[in-house]
Amino acid sequence: MSSMVVTANGNDNKKFKGDDKMDGAPSRVLHIRKLPGEVTETEVIALGLPFGKVTNILMLKGKNQAFLELATEEAAITMVNYYSAVTPHLRNQPIYIQYSNHKELKTDNTLNQRAQAVLQAVTAVQTTNTPISGTTVSESAVTPAQSPVLRIIIDNMYYPVTLDVLHQIFSKFGAVLKIITFTKNNQFQALLQYGDPVNAQQAKLALDGQNIYNACCTLRIDFSKLVNLNVKYNNDKSRDYTRPDLPSGDGQPALDPAIAAAFAKETSLLAVPGALSPLAIPNAAAAAAAAAAGRVGMPGVSAGGNTVLLVSNLNEEMVTPQSLFTLFGVYGDVQRVKILYNKKDSALIQMADGNQSQLAMSHLNGQKMYGKIIRVTLSKHQTVQLPREGLDDQGLTKDFGNSPLHRFKKPGSKNFQNIFPPSATLHLSNIPPSVAEDDLRTLFANTGGTVKAFKFFQRDHKMALLQMSTVEEAIQALIDLHNYNLGENHHLRVSFSKSTI
């Protein structure tokens, strides 16, 4: 096992030849090249933290190179594989990472003291989530502004914001490695980790105080005290983009207790007046930076944005314009639906505005409809064309512009607050007094699923919750029974519920 003894003072660097092999055998020591001149040890260590414990570092300042040693070879392999797909940047410059010929770093501790102190400080923060007090190095190493992790709070949450929406927005500023979302004090919050603290800084400058959708979903962004997030599951609450192999952990809380404890400490930060002004830059400068960054700029999010969705992998035997109108109508007012004549497993759906198409896409992509997992993306079409006069297109295109069934025509309608992802539990309303629990259970069982639970609202028998055994069955029941005539001029209204029975 070849090991190296390197004294890390400037003169002895001459003895040290950088590794030239581009992709040697895997090693837990990585050789990093083309570093920007003013880069700090903390920034280099932060590159390795998402992948595991960093056990040593050696900076060759004069050569713009560094060696980083990870605790295990597996961690180093994961890191090299990840950064071969996503070019790492430090301070806006691409850098290069490869395996070193050396199997471990043996550094002269007296000369490499600063690097060791930084490593200790960062590791202490990583393991205890609180910086070591009393060491000047730890403060310079992990000032909040240096953290690659942002803490995001969303105010005025008029529309739901998903993990994918956050990923889409924040990816504009650099590679997003991990995201954890959670609700605290009735507020939707997220922790988001970049590969590079500078990306976090740029994202904070550009996005703090911005709205994701028109006049709502305002981002409040601060640096987290954490320098690394520990994600256990990849699901709609948390995701580690460096480890696609993680289990989905069905419904497990994404937070580990240590991180949850750290949040409790962090909340106090937000009460400090001025703590939210980005890096203490006057707001005018921050606003200018945000304007320069081109607003939040999600494709198709402004009201004038892309309103047409392309839905594919549909069950062509079963799907109709009406069934798509009903399902997509949960997330916005569907104007037109066109099932493609020569590709009947695909359809174009035109929503009333860009917010609604974004919502429908984030909630329905990957859901099962008529036994098939559907894919929903933004289409490049601006509108859905109706067939020419006198041309029979077999009823594949339908204009719903004047439908009385639109849920969001009235500004400020309650329906805006009741937009939830597809779930096995359905919210039923507009039930006439003569209709009993058994009638509704039978009606829903006839859609081909199993009714697992039912309960009328205590104060108001016009409303009830009904739980099917799977989300797919609930989607089917909603398509079949929303607007179903229960008699006495009562048409049943069905939507997804966030409650369970």
Side-chain angles (χ1 to χ4, degrees), residues 191-434:
L191 287 170
L192 180 144
Q193 179 173 349
Y194 281 105
D196 178 351
V198 174
N199 299 136
Q201 205 163 333
Q202 289 164 336
K204 178 182 189 307
L205 262 176
L207 299 177
D208 191 26
Q210 297 285 344
N211 295 329
I212 300 180
Y213 300 117
N214 282 359
C216 67
C217 299
T218 311
L219 292 162
R220 290 210 338 244
I221 302 173
D222 225 318
F223 293 103
S224 169
K225 288 193 184 115
L226 302 169
V227 282
N228 184 38
L229 300 179
N230 177 19
V231 176
K232 296 194 164 80
Y233 303 108
N234 281 344
N235 53 32
D236 59 352
K237 301 273 188 300
S238 63
R239 205 160 300 161
D240 183 337
Y241 296 91
T242 65
R243 299 202 40 212
D245 55 312
L246 287 178
S248 71
D250 299 311
Q252 292 293 335
L255 286 182
D256 69 7
I259 290 189
F263 286 145
K265 291 201 190 80
E266 261 178 50
T267 321
S268 55
L269 260 184
L270 298 172
V272 183
L276 284 170
S277 64
L279 314 177
I281 291 172
N283 283 341
R295 282 199 43 69
V296 175
M298 282 186 63
V301 158
S302 68
N306 196 337
T307 58
V308 181
L309 296 167
L310 171 65
V311 187
S312 53
N313 201 40
L314 292 163
N315 179 334
E316 49 187 277
E317 307 296 315
M318 306 285 289
V319 73
T320 62
Q322 183 66 45
S323 62
L324 290 168
F325 167 78
T326 305
L327 179 58
F328 281 73
V330 173
Y331 300 106
D333 293 340
V334 175
Q335 304 299 303
R336 291 177 179 176
V337 178
K338 182 189 218 58
I339 294 173
L340 302 185
Y341 187 79
N342 44 12
K343 195 171 186 331
K344 292 194 174 62
D345 69 346
S346 300
L348 294 172
I349 298 181
Q350 183 175 336
M351 307 297 283
D353 67 37
N355 290 343
Q356 296 181 357
S357 54
Q358 193 74 42
L359 268 177
M361 176 169 78
S362 64
H363 284 311
L364 294 175
N365 181 40
Q367 295 291 351
K368 256 188 174 178
M369 178 181 181
Y370 297 126
K372 296 189 76 166
I373 292 176
I374 62 171
R375 292 278 155 246
V376 185
T377 56
L378 291 171
S379 160
K380 41 185 195 302
H381 293 282
Q382 294 308 304
T383 57
V384 169
Q385 298 294 328
L386 293 174
R388 285 195 302 281
E389 220 31 69
L391 185 78
D392 174 26
D393 80 337
Q394 304 172 353
L396 294 175
T397 308
K398 211 157 175 214
D399 186 354
F400 294 97
N402 297 319
S403 169
L405 295 181
H406 286 158
R407 295 178 189 237
F408 305 103
K409 271 234 173 73
K410 285 193 202 119
S413 152
K414 266 220 183 93
N415 292 334
F416 280 104
Q417 291 149 40
N418 294 319
I419 295 175
F420 303 111
S423 62
T425 308
L426 297 167
H427 179 276
L428 315 183
S429 59
N430 207 25
I431 302 166
S434 59

Side-chain angles (χ1 to χ4, degrees), residues 72-103:
T72 65
E73 203 170 277
E74 290 74 33
I77 292 169
T78 310
M79 178 167 164
V80 169
N81 290 348
Y82 178 76
Y83 286 129
S84 61
V86 177
T87 307
H89 284 72
L90 280 181
R91 308 206 170 202
N92 274 346
Q93 285 188 34
I95 56 169
Y96 298 90
I97 299 179
Q98 63 200 56
Y99 298 117
S100 162
N101 300 339
H102 303 285
K103 291 294 178 210

Side-chain angles (χ1 to χ4, degrees), residues 66-178:
F67 286 85
L68 196 65
E69 177 188 277
L70 282 91
T72 65
E73 203 170 277
E74 290 74 33
I77 292 169
T78 310
M79 178 167 164
V80 169
N81 290 348
Y82 178 76
Y83 286 129
S84 61
V86 177
T87 307
H89 284 72
L90 280 181
R91 308 206 170 202
N92 274 346
Q93 285 188 34
I95 56 169
Y96 298 90
I97 299 179
Q98 63 200 56
Y99 298 117
S100 162
N101 300 339
H102 303 285
K103 291 294 178 210
E104 63 176 321
L105 283 177
K106 285 206 178 143
T107 46
D108 176 328
N109 277 351
T110 51
L111 291 161
N112 199 21
Q113 234 164 1
R114 180 181 151 73
Q116 292 303 313
V118 172
L119 194 59
Q120 275 172 352
V122 175
T123 313
V125 171
Q126 193 187 1
T127 48
T128 64
N129 299 328
T130 50
I132 318 171
S133 53
T135 61
T136 49
V137 177
S138 75
E139 277 136 40
S140 64
V142 201
T143 51
Q146 295 256 323
S147 171
V149 179
L150 291 176
R151 175 157 193 239
I152 301 155
I153 291 180
I154 295 181
D155 285 335
N156 318 328
M157 196 151 139
Y158 201 44
Y159 290 116
V161 173
T162 61
L163 186 141
D164 293 331
V165 166
L166 290 174
H167 184 259
Q168 200 174 347
I169 296 171
F170 282 82
S171 292
K172 287 195 165 23
F173 299 90
V176 173
L177 305 188
K178 304 174 181 181

